[in-house]
């Protein structure tokens, strides 16, 4: 593959201050910003409007510039991926589910990411993040994980022909399906701490020299800008799916690190910037972040009116992907919720478990995190935030097989 930075990239900026951290072609792999207090805040990619528009032949969203999610190549930071790297990523359908909708009294659209190559929506972010990292000079990747992100990272490391991804998992994950799947894709798995934050700290300590030299690049959620760009393609696909018709009133997103929530909104904002989406004629959806009551830092910050997230102590949740006690992009998540007129909602563990069973009963192959979204719809109906006949889109972030294999 001849990976290269996309000339439509205008600059990379700090998500908190907007200050430029790198121009069109970064001199090396990009990590957190240096303008904010240590360890820094996430860096995001900005595109040059005129250069993107120059590549478009029409003013619609029937883009087909490359394989898989690279159909949206003008709005991705890296070019030159091969068909075998990316053809099977993205393109997941958005389906109106009549039976579930009838039960709930709303129009329910499901976007099922469980059909992704590694079994979850993490593929989108890691595919773009690792290709972008490589284009910027990275040679090996590492990340802490308590699930799907590690598997996706190992899969794309293997597709890139790189040395195995260095994966740090909490101690309790030894022998679990994620551990085995990471090793299946050539990952080098190490165990430390009792949650993802502790595993991440151990990773940064153990790899201090390699990370400082740039020999290894940290693919943790929001620690580099490419994963957000990959997750953004969910929003581009949703906009394309509803093109010419109203977008859903509400998008419900199970929120751990929040990359997808921020990414979907980034997609809408970029389409508005390009003049391909007009919020005056097509109102943008309200974005809803769902968490477990046992680990709800976003909900607490949102309800307290804060503009950033204060880490909490997790009481543990059956939804591994939601067991994220702090969010480095908390300021970005809260901004999206407020800009979209959305809300953050916490649901009980019992409600998550009941929603998971409901998915099974209806033949919907969704994971436990996505069950939190379904539970949230009922909570939002009770509070009046979702009304009868509303059009609600639920992101099904991963396959039912993973939670069923884990327990
Ligand atoms: Zn900064």
């Amino acid at each position: 593959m001849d990976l290269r930075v996309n000339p439509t990239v205008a600059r990379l900026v700090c998500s908190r201050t907007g200050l430029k951290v790198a121009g069109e072609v970064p001199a090396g792999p990009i990590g957190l910003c240096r303008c904010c207090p240590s360890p820094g805040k996430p860096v995001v990619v900005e595109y040059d409007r005129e250069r993107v528009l120059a590549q478009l032949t029409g003013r619609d969203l029937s883009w087909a510039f490359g394989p898989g999610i690279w159909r949206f190549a003008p709005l991705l930071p890296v070019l030159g991926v091969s068909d075998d790297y990316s053809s099977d990523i993205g393109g997941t359908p958005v389906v109106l589910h009549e039976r579930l909708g009838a039960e709930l009294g709303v129009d329910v659209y499901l976007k099922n990411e469980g059909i992704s190559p590694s079994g979850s929506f993490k593929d989108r972010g890691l595919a773009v993040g690792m290709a972008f990292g490589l284009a910027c000079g990275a040679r090996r990747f590492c990340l802490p994980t308590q699930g799907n992100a590690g598997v996706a990272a190992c899969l794309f490391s293997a597709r890139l022909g790189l040395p195995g991804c260095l994966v740090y998992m909490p101690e309790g994950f030894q022998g679990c399906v994620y551990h085995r799947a990471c090793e299946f894709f050539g990952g080098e798995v190490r165990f430390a701490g009792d949650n993802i934050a502790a595993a991440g700290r151990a990773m940064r300590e153990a790899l201090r020299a390699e990370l400082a030299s740039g020999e290894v690049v940290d693919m943790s959620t929001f620690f580099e800008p490419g994963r957000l760009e990959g997750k953004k393609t969910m929003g581009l696909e949703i906009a394309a799916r509803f093109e010419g018709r109203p977008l859903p009133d509400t998008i419900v997103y199970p929120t751990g690190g929040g990359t997808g929530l921020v990414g979907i909104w980034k997609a809408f904002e970029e389409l508005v910037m390009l003049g391909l989406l007009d919020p005056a004629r097509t109102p943008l959806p309200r974005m809803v972040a769902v968490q477990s009551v046992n680990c709800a830092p976003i909900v607490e910050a949102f309800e307290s009116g804060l503009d950033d997230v204060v880490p909490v102590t997790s009481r543990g949740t059956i939804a591994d992907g939601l067991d994220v006690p702090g969010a480095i992009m908390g300021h970005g998540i809260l901004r999206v919720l407020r800009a979209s007129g959305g809300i953050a909602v916490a649901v009980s563990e019992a409600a998550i478990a009941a929603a998971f069973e409901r998915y099974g009963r209806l033949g919907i192959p969704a994971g436990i995190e996505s069950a939190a979204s379904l539970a949230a719809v009922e909570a939002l109906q009770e509070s009046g935030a979702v009304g009868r006949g509303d059009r609600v889109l639920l992101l099904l972030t991963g396959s039912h097989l993973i939670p069923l294999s884990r327990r």
Side-chain angles (χ1 to χ4, degrees):
M1 285 193 283
D2 175 27
L3 297 175
R4 56 198 185 278
V5 176
N6 194 340
T8 59
V9 172
R11 65 192 77 80
L12 291 107
V13 302
C14 168
S15 59
R16 181 87 206 188
T17 64
L19 293 173
K20 187 168 104 170
V21 299
E24 302 171 28
V25 183
I30 299 290
L32 297 170
C33 81
R34 300 239 170 95
C35 56
C36 296
S38 178
K41 289 293 183 185
V43 169
V44 294
V45 180
E46 289 186 356
Y47 296 86
D48 185 286
R49 181 176 188 272
E50 300 313 315
R51 279 182 238 159
V52 173
L53 286 175
Q55 294 187 6
L56 308 183
T57 51
R59 287 292 176 267
D60 59 26
L61 274 167
S62 57
W63 300 9
F65 289 89
I69 54 176
W70 267 267
R71 66 175 276 207
F72 299 111
L75 285 178
L76 291 178
V78 56
L79 300 178
V81 296
S82 57
D83 282 6
D84 55 59
Y85 183 75
S86 53
S87 288
D88 53 2
I89 311 165
T92 56
V94 174
V95 176
L96 178 65
H97 201 288
E98 294 185 11
R99 278 178 68 202
L100 182 55
E103 287 186 11
L104 295 172
V106 295
D107 283 351
V108 183
Y109 293 87
L110 303 177
K111 187 165 176 61
N112 178 15
E113 295 285 304
I115 59 174
S116 304
S118 80
S120 87
F121 70 152
K122 301 283 184 182
D123 283 347
R124 295 175 186 264
L126 271 308
V128 174
M130 294 173 99
F132 183 57
L134 205 56
C136 294
R139 292 294 168 259
R140 193 175 192 183
F141 297 97
C142 66
L143 84 169
T145 184
Q146 48 203 10
N148 295 316
V151 184
C154 293
L155 182 148
F156 290 106
S157 255
R159 287 191 181 186
L160 289 166
L162 297 175
C165 186
L166 296 159
V167 176
Y168 284 70
M169 284 186 188
E171 298 280 4
F173 282 58
Q174 281 207 47
C176 77
V177 63
Y178 304 122
H179 173 194
R180 298 197 306 276
C182 284
E183 290 192 337
F184 175 67
F185 290 122
E188 200 172 310
V189 185
R190 298 166 183 178
F191 298 92
D194 58 5
N195 57 45
I196 189 170
R201 282 193 296 275
M203 179 188 85
R204 287 177 201 110
E205 183 60 36
L207 302 176
R208 184 184 293 271
E210 293 92 333
L211 287 167
S213 70
E215 186 185 324
V216 174
V217 168
D218 187 344
M219 293 303 296
S220 299
T221 303
F222 281 119
F223 271 55
E224 56 70 55
R227 282 181 66 178
L228 175 62
E229 295 306 297
K231 284 284 189 71
K232 185 179 80 180
T233 60
M234 291 191 293
L236 296 171
E237 289 179 5
I238 291 167
R241 164 70 166 74
F242 288 95
E243 188 165 27
R245 288 167 296 153
L247 286 162
D249 301 302
T250 302
I251 293 179
V252 184
Y253 186 85
T255 308
T259 324
L261 181 115
V262 175
I264 290 169
W265 191 252
K266 189 173 192 281
F268 295 154
E269 287 190 323
E270 287 176 356
L271 294 177
V272 170
M273 182 232 349
L274 294 168
L276 300 177
L277 197 56
D278 177 3
R281 288 173 46 205
T282 310
L284 303 184
R286 283 173 300 178
M287 302 298 292
V288 173
V290 187
Q291 302 196 296
S292 160
V293 289
N294 281 2
C295 186
I298 309 284
V299 180
E300 290 180 23
F302 181 81
E303 291 180 348
S304 304
L306 303 180
D307 66 359
D308 208 345
V309 166
V310 179
V312 298
T313 301
S314 170
R315 285 178 281 132
T317 163
I318 53 171
D320 292 328
L322 302 185
D323 203 2
V324 182
I328 193 163
M329 192 56 148
H331 59 288
I333 296 168
L334 292 164
R335 184 186 79 80
V336 168
L337 297 180
R338 293 185 178 123
S340 70
I343 192 172
V345 58
V347 293
S348 72
E349 292 286 298
I352 295 173
F356 186 56
E357 287 183 19
R358 189 177 202 169
Y359 278 146
R361 181 169 56 75
L362 291 167
I364 299 168
I368 298 235
E369 291 79 9
S370 317
S373 299
L374 178 52
V377 173
E378 295 187 292
L380 293 168
Q381 286 179 301
E382 281 168 25
S383 72
V386 164
R388 194 156 188 86
D390 274 12
R391 300 160 68 252
V392 181
L393 187 146
L394 307 186
L395 264 305
L396 307 185
T397 53
S399 162
H400 65 295
L401 288 174
I402 293 173
L404 291 177
S405 316
R406 179 152 157 66
R407 291 183 172 80

